Amino acid sequence: MSSTAASGGVVAVRALDPAARGAVVARLDRGTGVLEPARRSLRNGPVHLSTRAAAVLTSDKRRTELMVARGMGWKYAIVPLIEIHDDAAVGVPADVARALADEMESRGVREMTAVIAPLRAHADHLDAGGPVASSPLGRYMGLGGGGIISSLGGF
């Protein structure tokens, strides 16, 4: 299932794995600026988006994620952006990507790698009718945008 934005100032990020049946994996409270993952651990938990937070995109061959950490990286929250399931690329909807980018920019989150522009480019790409597989975020895992991984063929 893809992620969807909820009304009322809260953005609910839903699991990209169809087997998860749309379970919420993170919430962004636009009023307080808190990004809160559903699963918590000692280090994985709510992060306040502010100038003390840093954001990075992380990728491997099957997914691209947003990781936002506060302080020296002791506490972090991870949000899935694109994943491969059954040889199909699934990604967050445009409204979710745009909301994440807007909140990080307005609250002064530091980008350790380019984060805000790729999120907005992903949203614009989807709004223009482009498939997730050719999204600008896909290049981080070798899809679309000039990526070098060709094992997924039929995209």
Side-chain angles (χ1 to χ4, degrees), residues 69-103:
R70 73 172 183 227
M72 299 295 289
W74 173 248
K75 218 30 141 176
Y76 60 86
I78 295 176
V79 176
L81 299 174
I82 293 180
E83 293 179 358
I84 303 296
H85 292 281
D86 298 323
D87 292 332
V90 183
V92 295
D95 57 342
V96 172
R98 194 168 283 113
L100 289 166
D102 290 348
E103 286 302 308

Side-chain angles (χ1 to χ4, degrees), residues 30-45:
R30 297 188 84 174
T32 62
V34 174
L35 180 61
E36 183 173 358
R39 294 182 67 195
R40 295 181 183 198
S41 67
L42 181 61
R43 295 189 62 200
N44 186 26

Side-chain angles (χ1 to χ4, degrees), residues 17-142:
D17 183 354
R21 299 187 176 156
V24 174
V25 294
R27 295 184 196 284
L28 171 61
D29 184 326
R30 297 188 84 174
T32 62
V34 174
L35 180 61
E36 183 173 358
R39 294 182 67 195
R40 295 181 183 198
S41 67
L42 181 61
R43 295 189 62 200
N44 186 26
V47 174
H48 187 265
L49 302 181
S50 70
T51 56
R52 293 178 48 179
V56 63
L57 293 178
T58 63
S59 290
D60 61 24
K61 292 180 182 180
R62 310 239 7 117
R63 69 186 47 83
T64 295
E65 299 172 322
L66 167 67
M67 183 170 84
V68 182
R70 73 172 183 227
M72 299 295 289
W74 173 248
K75 218 30 141 176
Y76 60 86
I78 295 176
V79 176
L81 299 174
I82 293 180
E83 293 179 358
I84 303 296
H85 292 281
D86 298 323
D87 292 332
V90 183
V92 295
D95 57 342
V96 172
R98 194 168 283 113
L100 289 166
D102 290 348
E103 286 302 308
M104 286 190 296
E105 183 176 53
S106 70
R107 295 177 182 280
V109 173
R110 293 174 289 135
E111 296 175 89
M112 303 312 286
T113 62
V115 174
I116 294 169
L119 281 170
R120 287 204 172 112
H122 172 77
D124 292 343
H125 175 78
L126 294 180
D127 283 344
V132 171
S134 62
S135 162
L137 283 176
R139 74 184 169 119
Y140 293 95
M141 53 195 280

